[in-house]
């Protein structure tokens, strides 16, 4: 079975930085698009950033220029470098993998992702 494990999040002040990592097992890692999603209290889960098997990145508008997604197919890991964090970035962050190998329609759609990590909390104080 696919297992995804996020690194510990944390509490940072606005303007600060934090890097999340996701370690995967039980899958052929380099065949799948991966993604970071987040869910704030009382809100729906949303895509933050995705990266294809061949390292094409996608970001939602609100994090462009602040977040950087990357992956290491030799280590089965994915990372999300978050800079200039804002209070509105506060959420539970989840890593996930696409259901289908070599699949990417350019939209980082939540419904396309079938395996999820347990989530890690990121809190940004103002």
């Amino acid at each position: 079975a696919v297992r995804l494990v996020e690194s510990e999040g944390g509490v940072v002040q606005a303007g600060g930085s934090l890097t999340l990592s996701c370690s995967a097992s039980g899958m052929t890692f380099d065949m799948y698009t991966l993604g970071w999603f987040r869910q704030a209290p009382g809100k729906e889960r949303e895509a933050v950033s995705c990266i294809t098997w061949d390292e094409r990145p996608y970001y939602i508008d609100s994090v462009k220029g602040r977040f950087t997604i990357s992956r290491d197919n030799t280590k089965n890991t994915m990372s999300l470098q978050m800079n200039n964090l804002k209070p509105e970035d506060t959420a539970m962050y989840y890593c996930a993998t696409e259901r289908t190998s070599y699949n990417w329609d350019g939209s980082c759609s939540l419904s396309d992702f079938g395996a999820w990590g347990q989530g890690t909390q990121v809190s940004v104080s103002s």
Side-chain angles (χ1 to χ4, degrees), residues 95-113:
C95 67
T97 179
E98 268 262 10
R99 300 177 189 276
T100 305
S101 61
Y102 302 120
N103 186 49
W104 176 244
D105 62 6
S107 66
C108 201
S109 298
L110 190 148
S111 61
D112 290 337
F113 289 75

Side-chain angles (χ1 to χ4, degrees), residues 61 71 74 93 96 110 125:
D61 287 344
R71 65 189 292 164
T74 67
Y93 283 71
L110 190 148
S125 61

Side-chain angles (χ1 to χ4, degrees), residues 3-4 6 37 45 94-97 110 113-118:
R3 185 166 184 249
L4 301 171
E6 296 96 343
F37 297 80
R45 192 170 299 189
Y94 301 87
C95 67
T97 179
L110 190 148
F113 289 75
W116 296 82
Q118 80 286 356

Side-chain angles (χ1 to χ4, degrees), residues 52-64:
T52 63
W53 61 92
D54 56 354
E55 303 186 42
R56 286 171 285 158
Y58 165 92
Y59 302 96
I60 59 172
D61 287 344
S62 62
V63 307
K64 283 180 180 177

Side-chain angles (χ1 to χ4, degrees), residues 1-122:
V2 177
R3 185 166 184 249
L4 301 171
V5 180
E6 296 96 343
S7 61
E8 188 172 352
V11 179
V12 297
Q13 288 190 331
S17 298
L18 191 64
T19 298
L20 301 180
S21 297
C22 176
S23 179
S25 59
M27 60 180 289
T28 307
F29 187 80
D30 60 1
M31 292 171 62
Y32 291 86
T33 293
L34 306 171
W36 286 100
F37 297 80
R38 67 187 179 188
Q39 188 166 17
K43 295 188 177 181
E44 293 186 352
R45 192 170 299 189
E46 65 171 354
V48 175
S49 179
C50 288
I51 187 166
T52 63
W53 61 92
D54 56 354
E55 303 186 42
R56 286 171 285 158
Y58 165 92
Y59 302 96
I60 59 172
D61 287 344
S62 62
V63 307
K64 283 180 180 177
R66 301 190 297 122
F67 290 12
T68 302
I69 193 170
S70 62
R71 65 189 292 164
D72 186 337
N73 287 342
T74 67
K75 297 181 179 179
N76 287 11
T77 58
M78 172 179 64
S79 295
L80 185 69
Q81 171 71 43
M82 303 183 292
N83 296 326
N84 190 22
L85 282 160
K86 302 177 180 181
E88 51 264 41
D89 295 318
T90 294
M92 187 73 78
Y93 283 71
Y94 301 87
C95 67
T97 179
E98 268 262 10
R99 300 177 189 276
T100 305
S101 61
Y102 302 120
N103 186 49
W104 176 244
D105 62 6
S107 66
C108 201
S109 298
L110 190 148
S111 61
D112 290 337
F113 289 75
W116 296 82
Q118 80 286 356
T120 188
Q121 180 68 38
V122 173

